[in-house]
Amino acid sequence: MYEALSKYYSNAISISKLQINACAEIHNKGWNGDHSIWATSLCSDEVNFGFQHFNEKMAAPGPFILGGISGLPFVGKTGMKAFLSHVPTNGLALIVYGPHIGFTKDGLIGKVYRKNQQKPSSCCGSISAAVIAIRENHAGALDDPSDYQQTKVIQYLSMYKEEILQHENPILIATEKAYESIEENLNHILEESLPLFPGIRIGLIGGIQINTDFWGEDYFDIRRYEWIQN
Ligand SMILES: [Zn+2]
């Protein structure tokens, strides 16, 4: 684990360990992967989809994508209800959610080296761009239907403008605030959707996904790890 990464996320575990632990927990509860499907409310960035173990163990070829850029659950209640309606009989719906942040080997925060790129690029690009918009006071003028998701990201993070801009590393605190916004939105959507699906089980793994350079392992700093019988 890179030094800067362990400084800020000392409890983070590797993505592979996260998946193995979660699958073991599902198994220990007497449930099984064949009766489980999973969803993500993670940022659209392709670096966030290294969850092959989940894909292999569960009853569908991949996750239902609840999130858009930044990880906010942009599919809303309609998307959540669609996902929950796909859960096998007496089965489990696992939801992995949160924002992401990159760390490079040379200590840059909010960036990663991607394969065959000469320079590191933003990670999360959406949160990084939102921090710049907030700093430059562009947040108020936004109403661009061709950039709907980013408009929302900026609106949510603007609520923490002072805190973000005064922090020694704004991308770190903006990522924390993005986590809170994602969780709050997800809780709201779940509250409205779950009563329609009695009997299903829900697994919630919330946290901050930490990306490293393309050759390295990614990590997850768990903030919520909860199993619910609905
Ligand atoms: Zn992102």
Side-chain angles (χ1 to χ4, degrees), residues 43-45 48 69-71 100 123-127:
C43 178
S44 314
D45 192 328
N48 292 327
I69 54 173
S70 81
H100 69 123
C123 181
C124 171
S126 166
I127 294 175

Side-chain angles (χ1 to χ4, degrees), residues 136-185:
E136 295 178 352
N137 255 328
H138 291 161
L142 282 166
D143 187 19
D144 181 356
S146 70
D147 208 8
Y148 165 77
Q149 293 190 359
Q150 186 64 5
T151 301
K152 289 288 170 197
V153 175
I154 294 169
Q155 281 173 359
Y156 278 112
L157 293 181
S158 290
M159 293 191 279
Y160 310 99
K161 180 176 178 175
E162 300 304 318
E163 241 176 300
I164 289 171
L165 296 185
Q166 283 166 15
H167 197 272
E168 59 171 6
N169 200 323
I171 195 76
L172 277 172
I173 187 78
T175 304
E176 294 295 328
K177 296 304 174 189
Y179 176 77
E180 290 173 21
S181 300
I182 292 164
E183 187 165 74
E184 201 176 295
N185 271 272

